[in-house]
Amino acid sequence: MAAGNEEKALAWGRETVPRVMEIVGTRLPQRDVYSLLLTSPWCYRALLSNPQFWKVLDLRETKSAGPRLLAALSLERYKHLKVLNLEFAQDIDDTHLLLLKSKGFESLKGLEFLNLNACQKISDRGIEAITSICSNLHTLSLYWNVGLTDNSIKHIVKNCQKIIDLNLSGCKNITDQSLLWIADSFPALEKLNITRCIKLTDNGLLQLLLRCSGLQSLNLYALSSFTDKVYMKIGILSNLRFLDMCGSQNLTDEGLSCIARCRNLTYLNLTWCVRVTDAGIMAIAQGCNHLEFMSLFGIVGVTDACLEALSKSCCNTLTTLDVNGCIAIKRRSREDLLMLFPRLTCFKVHS
């Protein structure tokens, strides 16, 4: 009997554990996968032998990220790496990225996703080094790397021709020249975030819109310098689904009426677009009947009339509506709101 139980236990370890690891391993955070390595020799072998588990290297918010990155990439298991996340990682700088370049890590040649958000010690020099060995990048995020300049964008467009998702949020030294390079090099660009890139003007964004007409997501958060000259061209983006214009103080009803041609919009943030009135929102309601998220926060020029217009066109899609600070929109009971928007789950008014 004891021998039979021992055989069952061995079969469990040899056969069942590897199958279970294949099912759950790819759904777990990578740090949990590391913990599983220590639970049993069968787990260890099953995890190490499956390349699917090692396509992601997640060093987000870790200390000594630079040395840990170099150590990890020297391991055979990471030779098929697709995703590298260094968001808010500590102790990583240009010297580590230059070492990666000098050592010519083969594992980085197939990298598709790179997150360097808030890696403040990385400069243009580091961006040149890392992009020179990551020619297959599809997604690159550089949020709040405030020291980067146009030179970084020059290296990116030269070395990474497959970019479709680019986050430059908070890169305050980027100018129109960068947008021109992006427009010329990435005509298939799908997502662009230029939040707080305060040196950009109408001229740069206009050229990008004309050449990257397949954009699906555009984030213009906290950019008050643009005008209707460029806002009216957003309407050519027929595939646009996500548009954040929070703080677009020069946006008028005329510009918004052109944006209403983006009929596939599901997310529209007009927070603090203070020149907008009912006329602009009514145009959006008429043109964009797939909206799921809508913020009119802080717009005092809109009234219940725009709410009624939205209820006629977006009643079956709108789940989030923020009219906080819209003083001409009256309070409503939950029951009244659900009559207008049956799918509404989040409504903010006069909080």
Side-chain angles (χ1 to χ4, degrees), residues 277-309:
T277 71
D278 283 341
I281 305 304
M282 288 177 177
I284 289 292
Q286 185 175 2
C288 306
N289 53 19
H290 298 294
L291 284 176
E292 298 172 9
F293 175 101
M294 179 78 160
S295 177
L296 306 176
F297 183 104
I299 305 179
V300 298
V302 295
T303 71
D304 284 313
C306 78
L307 216 60
E308 292 169 6

Side-chain angles (χ1 to χ4, degrees), residues 95-146:
T95 58
H96 302 108
L97 302 187
L98 289 166
L99 273 172
L100 291 178
K101 179 181 179 180
S102 66
K103 292 178 181 293
F105 280 100
E106 291 291 322
S107 54
L108 290 175
K109 291 184 178 180
L111 196 70
E112 296 176 355
F113 177 103
L114 176 60
N115 187 332
L116 295 174
N117 288 348
C119 294
Q120 296 277 9
K121 295 180 180 179
I122 294 176
S123 71
D124 294 336
R125 191 162 169 246
I127 296 299
E128 189 280 329
I130 190 66
T131 58
S132 69
I133 51 176
C134 300
S135 59
N136 282 302
L137 278 182
H138 295 168
T139 300
L140 177 59
S141 190
L142 300 172
Y143 163 80
W144 210 247
N145 286 28
V146 296

Side-chain angles (χ1 to χ4, degrees), residues 160-280:
C160 307
Q161 294 293 311
K162 298 180 180 180
I163 295 288
I164 59 173
D165 184 347
L166 185 59
N167 183 355
L168 301 175
S169 174
C171 296
K172 297 184 176 182
N173 291 312
I174 300 299
T175 73
D176 285 345
Q177 180 60 66
S178 285
L179 292 188
L180 295 177
W181 283 331
I182 293 169
D184 285 338
S185 302
F186 304 140
L189 193 67
E190 296 178 0
K191 297 181 180 180
L192 178 66
N193 187 338
I194 49 176
T195 292
R196 292 193 175 92
C197 292
I198 55 178
K199 293 186 178 181
L200 301 179
T201 72
D202 282 349
N203 293 332
L205 183 55
L206 182 60
Q207 293 304 312
L208 185 135
L209 295 177
L210 292 174
R211 302 181 207 180
C212 301
S213 58
L215 276 172
Q216 299 175 20
S217 175
L218 181 61
N219 198 327
L220 306 177
Y221 185 98
L223 293 172
S224 59
S225 60
F226 295 137
T227 72
D228 274 350
K229 175 183 176 182
V230 70
Y231 294 142
M232 288 190 288
K233 292 299 181 182
I234 292 178
I236 68 177
L237 304 178
S238 59
N239 296 322
L240 195 66
R241 295 176 56 83
F242 178 104
L243 180 59
D244 194 327
M245 303 186 69
C246 175
S248 298
Q249 298 178 15
N250 296 318
L251 175 67
T252 71
D253 291 335
E254 184 179 6
L256 200 54
S257 295
C258 294
I259 291 172
R261 297 201 298 268
C262 301
R263 297 187 178 278
N264 290 310
L265 271 181
T266 60
Y267 181 107
L268 181 58
N269 186 358
L270 298 175
T271 295
W272 294 121
C273 293
V274 293
R275 298 180 66 183
V276 168
T277 71
D278 283 341

Side-chain angles (χ1 to χ4, degrees), residues 49-100:
S49 64
N50 192 331
Q52 294 299 319
F53 300 140
W54 311 108
K55 290 184 177 181
V56 176
L57 179 54
D58 186 359
L59 296 175
R60 186 179 189 274
E61 297 180 346
T62 59
K63 296 180 179 179
S64 302
R68 292 179 68 177
L69 173 63
L70 292 167
L73 292 180
S74 67
L75 300 173
E76 178 71 13
R77 72 184 71 157
Y78 285 112
K79 67 180 181 180
H80 300 299
L81 194 65
K82 298 295 183 184
V83 175
L84 176 57
N85 188 354
L86 292 163
E87 184 174 43
F88 293 100
Q90 300 177 35
D91 311 309
I92 183 166
D93 55 38
D94 288 347
T95 58
H96 302 108
L97 302 187
L98 289 166
L99 273 172
L100 291 178

Side-chain angles (χ1 to χ4, degrees), residues 17-31:
V17 168
R19 288 203 299 269
V20 171
M21 290 301 100
E22 287 181 5
I23 295 171
V24 304
T26 55
R27 293 174 171 82
L28 293 174
Q30 193 172 53
R31 294 173 197 182

